[in-house]
Amino acid sequence: MADFDELGDVSARNEVRPREIAALAIAAAAIPLIGWAFWALVLHLGANDFHDYWLAGKLILQGQSPYDAGALAEMARREGLSFLVGGGYSYPLPFAVAMVPFALLPFAVAVAAFSAASLVLFGLTVGAWLAWAHGAAPAGGRRRLLAALAAGAYPPVYGTVVMGQANLVLIPLLGIGTVLVLDGATSGRRFLGGLLVGLAAIVKLVPGVWVAPLGLGRRVGAALGIAVGALGSLAAAVAIAPRAAAGSGGLASLLDPDAFYSNQSINGFISRLVEPSEKSAPLWNGGFDPRPVMLVATAALGLLTLVALWRARGQILSRRGLALGLGLALVAGIVGAPKESFWNGSIALVAVGLLLAVEVPDLRLRVLGRTDLGLLGLWFGSALVWAAVWAIEPPAAGPLAPVVTLAWSSSFYGLVALWCLFVRRLLLPGQDPAGITIS
């Protein structure tokens, strides 16, 4: 069985060329940049979610809590901002503290800077990742370019930018952290990788699930790094702004049923079956209480994921196995997390990147086989379908109402397909890129 020490540091075997990374970064950012320009300059629409971030930073500067929805709405009124408040600021405190520098800027400048930084960081991460995972050989240059374009074309990336979401600014933390966790030559580097993943986890929570596969892969230092990064940043934020944590207990409301159209988790799918929303009609209005059903379904997904990881615990000691285990856990986290929005699906690119890094290092996708290639295509295609439904906004009522309701969960179906793909690859024997057969 392959061990990490036998495989060495893969990044050291790839010659990194800054010019190619820059070209790949531009390719990855091109499509979401065009979409952002169309959204802002042609449709004259705003980045709704960034309002919450900016106002949360403003409230912290004034010694108030970002979790006070009334204060947030009043601040928006004073600033002349019109947007969908929803449940208000709904992230752990460290992200609100990180938004304070943006809150010092006028809103228009802040949102432009945040969006531009998101695109730049996303593009550079994709470029560097492709160089790390797929080398720099001229023969594969076109495939790497297509991969960069595909990453930028994944609809949640566009949605993240135009809605002013935080996912793309977290991609570098996840990307660099993943490389260090997977290929770090020393325990210190692997701990640092976990630390970076923990900083992302304190914002989006889902990456915290990596503790399980890292523990099975005997990467205890990396798992510890996740805990230190998440809890350490939380402690630091509370120390910096102790009064700002007031009301954060309301985050428990994230566990409530939510039929909102962008919710692409188990929570959203089950809620839309029995509860109405602005854009969908329930298939069985009030047919059952969605809470226990969501709990059972989420617990079942978690249990099945842990069973798959446990059965593959021998393989997870190898680089290939750990990469697939991390990808499986991340996708399960996206599917199972309550109220996980379509935009948050952006981080699934890290999972797919891990899959391609260890299973398709030359990016010739046909080696995956018909079934797995079909599952991968279903994941990407379902996101395109959801984006189309979002753009068209078909009426919730009428003879096609059941189809419309089910269509609002289309991205969720694709994420389930991606989960199945990882289970298949993890539990079936494979060939490590180093040439070592894993059984």
Side-chain angles (χ1 to χ4, degrees), residues 53 91 95 114 118 160 164-171 203-204:
Y53 307 163
Y91 292 87
F95 186 65
F114 185 82
S118 297
T160 288
Q165 266 274 349
N167 300 294
L168 300 191
V169 298
L170 302 178
I171 289 290
V203 180
K204 289 298 182 181

Side-chain angles (χ1 to χ4, degrees), residues 51-130:
H51 290 77
D52 283 344
Y53 307 163
W54 188 78
L55 292 169
K58 280 280 187 184
L59 290 173
I60 287 179
L61 285 172
Q62 296 186 3
Q64 296 178 271
S65 171
Y67 302 103
D68 186 337
L72 188 136
E74 175 60 23
M75 175 73 73
R77 187 193 63 78
R78 291 201 304 267
E79 295 290 339
L81 299 177
S82 177
F83 69 107
L84 179 64
V85 177
Y89 179 77
S90 57
Y91 292 87
L93 184 60
F95 186 65
V97 173
M99 288 296 103
V100 167
F102 289 96
L104 295 171
L105 301 172
F107 179 79
V109 176
V111 69
F114 185 82
S115 299
S118 297
L119 285 170
V120 170
L121 291 171
F122 172 74
L124 289 174
T125 304
V126 170
W129 180 285
L130 288 171

Side-chain angles (χ1 to χ4, degrees), residues 65-391:
S65 171
Y67 302 103
D68 186 337
L72 188 136
E74 175 60 23
M75 175 73 73
R77 187 193 63 78
R78 291 201 304 267
E79 295 290 339
L81 299 177
S82 177
F83 69 107
L84 179 64
V85 177
Y89 179 77
S90 57
Y91 292 87
L93 184 60
F95 186 65
V97 173
M99 288 296 103
V100 167
F102 289 96
L104 295 171
L105 301 172
F107 179 79
V109 176
V111 69
F114 185 82
S115 299
S118 297
L119 285 170
V120 170
L121 291 171
F122 172 74
L124 289 174
T125 304
V126 170
W129 180 285
L130 288 171
W132 161 74
H134 306 289
R142 181 176 298 180
R143 291 190 294 275
R144 290 192 294 275
L145 182 62
L146 289 175
L149 287 168
Y154 185 47
V157 172
Y158 161 77
T160 288
V161 176
V162 301
M163 296 302 290
Q165 266 274 349
N167 300 294
L168 300 191
V169 298
L170 302 178
I171 289 290
L173 296 174
L174 276 176
I176 298 171
T178 300
V179 172
L180 291 173
V181 164
L182 195 62
D183 283 336
T186 66
S187 58
R189 291 183 182 179
R190 294 190 290 272
F191 175 83
L192 176 59
L195 191 72
L196 294 175
V197 173
L199 293 177
I202 196 58
V203 180
K204 289 298 182 181
L205 304 181
V206 169
V209 300
W210 276 6
V211 169
L214 287 173
L216 289 174
R218 300 177 187 173
R219 294 287 161 168
V220 178
L224 179 62
I226 292 178
V228 171
L231 298 179
S233 60
L234 179 61
V238 172
I240 293 171
R243 295 178 59 187
S248 59
L251 292 176
S253 64
L254 292 174
L255 299 175
D256 293 339
D258 183 9
F260 194 64
Y261 72 97
S262 67
N263 186 359
Q264 295 301 295
S265 64
I266 290 174
N267 179 306
F269 171 70
I270 293 177
S271 297
R272 279 187 288 273
L273 294 179
V274 294
E275 293 188 353
S277 73
E278 179 186 357
K279 299 181 187 295
S280 64
L283 273 65
W284 187 10
N285 192 18
F288 55 84
D289 183 354
R291 288 174 178 81
V293 178
M294 291 186 303
L295 178 61
V296 170
T298 303
L301 175 70
L303 180 60
L304 288 172
T305 302
L306 289 174
V307 168
L309 291 172
W310 178 256
R311 288 188 59 186
R313 61 191 182 279
Q315 293 191 44
I316 289 178
L317 294 175
S318 73
R319 179 177 184 268
R320 172 186 179 270
L322 181 58
L324 293 175
L326 292 173
L328 173 62
L330 188 61
V331 174
I334 296 171
V335 174
K339 302 188 181 183
E340 190 75 352
S341 74
F342 176 74
W343 339 117
N344 291 348
S346 300
I347 62 176
L349 287 174
V350 176
V352 174
L354 283 166
L355 170 75
L356 298 180
V358 297
E359 300 289 70
V360 198
D362 63 357
L363 290 174
R364 298 181 188 274
L365 297 182
R366 62 178 179 271
V367 303
L368 290 175
R370 183 176 300 176
T371 299
D372 289 348
L373 190 57
L375 290 171
L376 187 64
L378 182 57
W379 159 72
F380 196 95
S382 67
L384 292 174
V385 170
W386 190 94
V389 175
W390 180 39

Side-chain angles (χ1 to χ4, degrees), residues 404-427:
V404 171
T405 296
L406 293 174
W408 279 117
S409 297
S410 55
S411 184
F412 165 74
Y413 310 142
L415 288 166
V416 172
L418 187 61
W419 181 87
C420 293
L421 169 56
F422 272 99
V423 171
R424 280 176 49 83
R425 304 304 295 193
L426 187 61
L427 297 183

